[in-house]
Amino acid sequence: MKRQYSNFFGMGACALAAALGGTTAAQAADAFPTHPIRVIVNTAPGGLTDVTTRLVAKKMSENLNQSVVVENRAGGDGLIGLRAVKAAAPDGYTLLASAGTMALQPSVREDAGYDLLKDFTGVGLMGRSPFMLVEASSGQDKSGADFIARATANPGTLSYASAGVGTVPHLAAAVLFKQLGLNLMHVPYKGNGAAMGDVMSGRVDVIMEAYGSSGAKVKAGQLTALALTSPKRATVLPDVPALAELGAPEYSYYTWLGMVAPAGTPKEVVDRLSIALRSALDSTEVQQRFREDGVESLPLSPDEFNNYMAQEVEKGREVVTYLALPKL
């Protein structure tokens, strides 16, 4: 009988502990966040990912009643920031904001140091944007047709900048130039923002850049927009042709911007972050800015975004195969 009572009280204690543990976990999720959240952007300041994340983070902080601090960790073609967030505690206080580059690097490198679908979990998609092919306003080309003609006549002498090897701006340009039969030299930087000085000065001929981060420079006459990577012209740039009009009828390319957390972050915390992100995207301020910047808002649930990223990883493999890029 003594053993039976002992077992009974042992089972009761376990059940009580489990109940208390469950209550504590639920309370912790309800209380989240209790201190500031850090969002790491894996590019240099000034590019579309950085500009968009800062706008969204500001509105998320209002919903969460906590500061959401943006920190740039550029370098390694985006890998430094990616690896930093992978190694962070899965508690919801360190997030990654990245362009679609995070779905590409494992296909570009022998050892990217992460698996997007295993090492991260999606919070949500911020939006997507077509690129513009731009050059300095002092450049020789006044139109996309002029640029294509000059590049065709001078194979191997013109150059294009990108946010780094295996980034979306790099592959978007490489796919275009292959379809058009053009040969340009690739000059990688630590993010598109870091490259813009050399493009604007004419040291590098062109770059694929999102309207949201360079549209103001186009309007100010510092850059010339040669063409858009969307299937048709954009309402914000009615005079700029789509590349489909310039000899690449099958071509279109978008960059997408997403927010992820380290794998193992509690679902309740991810859901709370997702609600804050959705609130930010629904705000009048963000919607107006997105319209001005040519960004399409695409709110997705965490599960929907995880499925979206899986599709993008597969698309990345296909692009790398199409370009026959040797792994780094």
Side-chain angles (χ1 to χ4, degrees):
M1 289 297 295
K2 187 175 183 180
R3 179 176 297 177
Q4 290 175 347
Y5 280 116
S6 175
N7 287 342
F8 173 79
F9 285 118
M11 291 168 61
C14 290
L16 179 61
L20 291 174
T23 301
T24 302
Q27 290 173 342
D30 289 341
F32 176 87
T34 59
H35 58 268
I37 294 169
R38 178 178 57 156
V39 181
I40 291 179
V41 174
N42 61 338
T43 61
L48 180 67
T49 307
D50 177 66
V51 171
T52 302
T53 302
R54 291 182 184 278
L55 175 66
V56 169
K58 176 185 175 184
K59 303 307 291 186
M60 287 180 68
S61 68
E62 296 174 7
N63 183 271
L64 293 166
N65 294 315
Q66 282 289 346
S67 297
V68 180
V69 181
V70 177
E71 176 184 330
N72 295 90
R73 290 278 192 96
D77 302 321
L79 293 178
I80 290 177
L82 275 157
R83 291 169 178 169
V85 177
K86 173 190 170 182
D91 54 13
Y93 289 99
T94 302
L95 308 175
L96 172 74
S98 175
T101 293
M102 61 182 169
L104 298 174
Q105 285 291 353
S107 295
V108 173
R109 296 178 178 272
E110 289 289 352
D111 183 14
Y114 74 96
D115 182 313
L116 180 61
L117 306 180
K118 293 180 180 178
D119 296 325
F120 298 94
T121 187
V123 173
L125 185 64
M126 290 187 282
R128 73 170 190 167
S129 171
F131 287 110
M132 296 185 294
L133 182 66
V134 299
E135 70 174 37
S137 56
S138 59
Q140 300 181 40
D141 310 306
K142 300 307 177 186
S143 68
D146 289 346
F147 165 75
I148 292 171
R150 184 162 67 99
T152 301
N154 299 278
T157 61
L158 276 64
S159 59
Y160 70 100
S162 84
V165 177
T167 61
V168 180
H170 170 211
L171 298 191
V175 169
L176 172 66
F177 298 149
K178 181 169 182 175
Q179 288 191 12
L180 293 174
L182 304 179
N183 179 14
L184 282 80
M185 179 175 65
H186 178 218
V187 184
Y189 289 79
K190 293 181 180 180
N192 267 26
M196 289 310 297
D198 283 352
V199 175
M200 292 169 64
S201 68
R203 284 190 289 270
V204 183
D205 290 290
V206 295
I207 189 172
M208 286 289 193
E209 173 71 345
Y211 178 81
S213 50
S214 62
K217 296 181 178 66
V218 172
K219 291 179 180 178
Q222 297 172 303
L223 289 171
T224 297
L226 301 173
L228 280 173
T229 65
S230 51
K232 58 183 181 180
R233 299 190 184 205
T235 55
V236 292
L237 292 169
D239 298 328
V240 180
L243 282 159
E245 302 173 45
L246 301 175
E250 303 299 321
Y251 180 86
S252 69
Y253 219 111
Y254 286 79
T255 183
W256 54 267
L257 311 171
M259 192 174 289
V260 298
T265 301
K267 182 180 184 303
E268 296 82 1
V269 171
V270 172
D271 288 343
R272 180 68 186 93
L273 291 166
S274 176
I275 290 169
L277 175 57
R278 179 70 67 96
S279 175
L281 297 177
D282 287 342
S283 70
T284 301
E285 181 181 346
V286 170
Q287 289 184 359
Q288 180 177 347
R289 180 64 179 272
F290 274 19
R291 283 193 297 270
E292 294 172 354
D293 290 350
V295 176
E296 300 174 20
S297 177
L298 296 171
L300 298 177
S301 70
D303 287 342
E304 289 171 336
F305 186 42
N306 283 328
N307 291 333
Y308 182 91
M309 289 192 293
Q311 294 171 7
E312 290 298 307
V313 168
E314 183 56 36
K315 288 180 184 177
R317 294 193 189 104
E318 294 172 359
V319 169
V320 170
T321 299
Y322 169 73
L323 294 172
L325 291 178
K327 284 204 172 186
L328 300 175

